[in-house]
Every structure is written in structure tokens, then in C-alpha cells.
Amino acid sequence: MKLQKIPFWIIVSILVPLIYLVVVNPHFFVYLFSSIGSPNSGKIKIETREFMEQRYDKPFQIIALKETNLNGYYEGRGISVEENLTFSFAKSPGRAPQTDYPLNVWAKSLIAPFVENSDIKYEAEYQSPSLSFNDNMGLDYWDNNFLTKPGKLSIKISFLYTQKMSREQIFSIIKKMKVQGVGNLIIMLYPMAASPDVSLLDKLGLSEYYEKNSGEFIGTCEILNQEHLNDINDFEVGNPCLRDK
């Protein structure tokens, strides 16, 4: 049986794309095989929403979701519909979501009395331990650690506003938090010249919104001298992000 000779151009047309994928762009195969078997993002959204509605007996919406570098592990943002309260969550395959929703409910109860009838937006987030890659700690831990073990936590509270907050407001909020026994408290202030894109803000969270839209902000300030809480007259004098009264 006589074998037919394969034209050179056919060989080239097959080898060139293969060489590109294997040598030039090997990440293609990583993406291809990591996609196989990964949970569908729509399924993750449904699972997260249904779990939270069952656990907290409230309606929720999942407004943002992204897959991390770890195959099948997701991070996202949600909103409690009745409370208009945003939160972050992390979820691994087959596990319940880890969420800072309870933390934000607790933080709101402490902060809201000092910022009523204002344009101030705020949110709390864990710095240490973080939500991500910590789903072995158990759901009860994330539901009440700020009550049972506040001294072991590092919590960041971010404030975004167009009309400057007063030194007295921040002083009172920090003092209230410290009375609760919070270990490490990070306070970030994000003053703006105009109102933010609220929909995008909810999806990104305050910190990421600032990173991606820093041109919209007048500046940013971090409150450092939280130990000076005996006299408001000594607190953050001259801070450009705060007004005196």
C-alpha cells in the first residue's frame, strides 16, 4: 500500500498553533483544565443566596462574583435587601459561604446613631483573620466572633462621604468600638467631591472602589492615634479629612 505524502503546508498549519499553545501560551491549558469541573458561577450565586436566606431568615441578592486563582474558590459581594446592607463573602466548592454580613449588622448598630441623616456610607471588613481560605473555622465563628473574641480580631471600618465627617463623630465611633473590646481597629476615611456610583460601590466595596476610581476622591486618611480617646480636644486635630464640628 502506497502512503500519500502530506503536503508541507498542512503540517505547518497544524504545528504552528500547537507550538504557540505549548511554548508561547501554556496558560491556555491551565485555563482549559481548570474550567472543567469548576462550579458554574450562576450555581454559586444561587447556593450562596439560598444558604444565607435560610440561615438569617432575610432576603438577599448576590451582586458580584469572581473566581480566585484557586480552582473553584469564589469571592463575591451581596446585599441584604430589607436592610440595604452590603457585605462580602467567600465560598469553596461544597462548603457553606463565609460572610461578614453579621459583622456589618453589628457594626451598623454601633455606627448608625452617629451618622443619621447624612450621606455617609460605611462598611466593616475583616483584616485578620480574613474570610478567604478560612472556611475550616466554622459558621458560628463568623456569626459571633466580634462578640466572643473581639480582642483577637483586626477589623477595618471604611467611611465614604461628600460632606466632611466631624472629629466628634469619628471620636465617638472609635470609642464605642473600643468599649466592645475590638483588638486592632483600622479606620479609613474617603472624602469625595461628588456622590459615588452607588451600584458600582456596592459591587466593589469601599476599598476596591477607591483603588479603581481614586480620581473621584479628594484624598484618603487613616486614623492612627486611637489611644488618645480621653479628650476629644486632643483627637485628630488638623486632620484634612475631618472638620472640627
Side-chain angles (χ1 to χ4, degrees), residues 37-227:
S38 295
N40 180 271
S41 61
K43 182 180 178 181
I44 292 292
K45 286 183 177 181
I46 293 173
E47 287 179 353
T48 302
R49 177 180 56 79
E50 289 180 345
F51 173 86
M52 295 195 65
E53 289 182 345
Q54 182 178 7
R55 186 170 181 86
Y56 302 113
D57 194 25
K58 295 180 183 294
F60 292 92
Q61 290 182 356
I62 305 305
I63 56 179
L65 188 71
K66 62 181 179 181
E67 189 171 8
T68 67
N69 292 330
L70 182 62
N71 183 30
Y73 196 92
Y74 288 82
E75 295 176 341
R77 298 273 299 169
I79 185 169
S80 172
V81 179
E82 294 177 349
E83 302 161 295
N84 193 29
L85 186 71
T86 54
F87 59 89
S88 299
F89 69 88
K91 189 179 187 316
S92 59
R95 304 294 293 270
Q98 314 300 302
T99 173
D100 61 15
Y101 165 70
L103 174 69
N104 275 281
V105 172
W106 172 75
K108 182 178 181 179
S109 70
L110 302 177
I111 297 171
F114 302 106
V115 297
E116 290 180 335
N117 303 318
S118 69
D119 69 340
I120 299 170
K121 297 186 180 299
Y122 56 90
E123 70 177 24
E125 56 186 308
Y126 289 107
Q127 296 295 288
S128 176
S130 66
L131 288 175
S132 298
F133 314 114
N134 271 318
D135 54 3
N136 61 328
M137 304 186 78
L139 298 176
D140 290 339
Y141 174 82
W142 299 106
D143 276 355
N144 59 28
N145 59 16
F146 42 84
L147 298 176
T148 60
K149 300 178 180 179
K152 296 183 178 181
L153 300 178
S154 178
I155 298 174
K156 178 180 176 181
I157 312 288
S158 300
F159 296 88
L160 181 151
Y161 47 87
T162 54
Q163 300 294 325
K164 279 188 178 181
M165 294 183 71
S166 69
R167 290 194 297 121
E168 183 177 2
Q169 281 177 304
I170 293 296
F171 178 86
S172 301
I173 290 169
I174 293 176
K175 198 162 188 178
K176 189 76 171 180
M177 289 281 182
K178 287 296 185 180
V179 168
Q180 306 302 312
V182 175
N184 183 35
L185 183 62
I186 302 167
I187 302 293
M188 294 299 302
L189 307 177
Y190 297 105
M192 300 188 71
S195 298
D197 180 333
V198 176
S199 176
L200 184 60
L201 177 63
D202 288 346
K203 291 179 181 179
L204 297 178
L206 297 190
S207 298
E208 189 172 352
Y209 185 90
Y210 172 76
E211 292 175 4
K212 294 186 176 181
N213 301 276
S214 58
E216 299 178 10
F217 291 79
I218 298 173
T220 180
C221 299
E222 181 177 2
I223 305 297
L224 298 175
N225 64 338
Q226 297 172 14
E227 67 276 9

